[in-house]
Amino acid sequence: MKLELDADQLDGFRCDGFVVVEGVLSTAETDAMRARAIELATTVDLEAEGSATIFSATDQSHAQDEYFLSSGDVIRYFFEDGAFVDGELDRPVELALNKIGHALHTLDPVFAPISNDPQIYSAASALGLAEPDPLQSMYIFKQPGIGGEVGSHTDHTFLWTEPRSAIGLWFAIDDATEENGCLRALPGGHRIPVKSRFRRLPDDRSTTMEVFDPTPYPTEGEVPLEVAAGTMIVLDSALPHRSLPNTSPKPRHAYTLHLIDKTADYPADNWLRR
Ligand code: FE2
């Protein structure tokens, strides 16, 4: 990893709400991360794990909720909706997963050292976090043909702190292009007040999206962030961003790491528990 943010990049982040940093991960690192994600997908017993069953039936939303809500401090496997036909996976598991999350950064021997590289903490400090605290990690597959759309959202909605503090680090494992569903973001959109908050309900077993402003985030003026493998994109937690479906025959793997500031309050009704 080679990560050092210069003054122009830090200015760009403050002005646009995101910054693209090229050449952060080496090919050896992206190759190792891809290989590890595929190894996890193909060696874990997903039947024993329960996830294959949970995700094969669309009416099992409660079981899916529980599987998701207890995934903050473990490694779990989430499928694409389009990967099941009549309750059966219709393709190899490594081509059926939507993502693996949410504690690769603490538990996995390949992802943890990269996620806890001192350069990550230095960059997070430079980006304004007093005490950078890696909170959540995901390996996102964005599979060829079935990789679904991720609608416009802000990460603060899902990783709420008071005051707002999260930053997202998005690492391209494959080249990301418009064809395979690259990130799209609205420059300066981080100045729009965050419109919703996803949180646990008092029963602690279900969640709600609390909406402060029902109007959608604007997409006019957004830019596609086409980047080469190894690039890191930093996202302000108030920046609206999204990605379109991957209808191409090419994968679009990415690794994301979200950090919060330990000096900020992390309310207990956040979905993610550690
Ligand atoms: Fe996001």
Side-chain angles (χ1 to χ4, degrees):
M1 176 180 294
K2 186 170 127 320
L3 171 55
E4 207 175 341
L5 300 171
D6 64 26
D8 284 348
Q9 288 168 322
L10 292 171
D11 279 351
F13 177 72
R14 280 186 284 267
C15 176
D16 294 332
F18 67 90
V19 63
V20 174
V21 188
E22 292 174 349
V24 171
L25 296 177
S26 66
T27 304
E29 286 168 320
T30 54
D31 284 351
M33 292 161 85
R34 182 189 298 103
R36 178 59 178 159
I38 291 170
E39 182 187 14
L40 284 170
T42 52
T43 56
V44 164
D45 183 346
L46 293 167
E47 295 294 340
E49 165 87 7
S51 61
T53 325
I54 290 167
F55 287 91
S56 64
T58 46
D59 59 348
Q60 295 198 20
S61 61
H62 176 69
Q64 289 190 18
D65 280 352
E66 195 165 294
Y67 187 78
F68 169 72
L69 284 174
S70 56
S71 69
D73 56 0
V74 292
I75 297 175
R76 291 212 163 147
Y77 301 82
F78 301 89
F79 286 93
E80 284 291 350
D81 286 339
F84 292 92
V85 173
D86 299 330
E88 296 288 330
L89 272 186
D90 72 341
R91 62 197 72 212
V93 66
E94 68 276 19
L95 293 174
L97 288 172
N98 168 287
K99 66 181 176 186
I100 303 176
H102 291 91
L104 291 162
H105 64 293
T106 54
L107 298 177
D108 186 79
V110 171
F111 290 99
I114 290 170
S115 309
N116 291 280
D117 189 297
Q119 295 175 91
I120 298 251
Y121 288 83
S122 305
S125 295
L127 291 160
L129 276 62
E131 285 183 47
D133 182 14
L135 175 66
Q136 167 188 275
S137 50
M138 295 183 274
Y139 191 90
I140 300 168
F141 289 87
K142 197 79 166 179
Q143 302 284 7
I146 56 164
E149 174 177 4
V150 177
S152 195
H153 69 280
T154 71
D155 293 336
H156 184 48
T157 293
F158 298 96
L159 304 171
W160 194 272
T161 65
E162 291 164 1
R164 186 172 69 80
S165 71
I167 56 169
L169 305 180
W170 188 99
F171 298 92
I173 303 299
D174 293 311
D175 294 345
T177 65
E178 288 208 68
E179 191 195 5
N180 67 1
C182 66
L183 275 185
R184 309 174 71 87
L186 179 68
H190 61 312
R191 285 185 278 272
I192 300 169
V194 168
K195 293 173 186 277
S196 59
R197 183 182 172 210
F198 183 71
R199 59 180 179 82
R200 288 177 188 247
L201 288 168
D203 70 5
D204 215 31
R205 300 167 59 182
S206 50
T207 56
T208 188
M209 185 65 83
E210 189 178 351
V211 177
F212 315 124
D213 173 356
T215 62
Y217 289 105
T219 52
E220 197 181 322
E222 75 174 6
V223 290
L225 302 177
E226 295 195 296
V227 299
T231 301
M232 180 184 84
I233 301 174
V234 187
L235 300 165
D236 184 292
S237 64
L239 181 78
H241 58 284
R242 63 175 182 150
S243 65
L244 298 176
N246 180 6
T247 52
S248 84
K250 294 178 184 167
R252 196 229 65 189
H253 291 196
Y255 177 64
T256 65
L257 179 67
H258 287 89
L259 299 97
I260 57 171
D261 193 330
K262 210 180 266 180
T263 66
D265 182 46
Y266 184 74
D269 62 353
N270 270 302
W271 80 264
L272 189 150
R273 294 255 170 87
R274 293 191 278 188

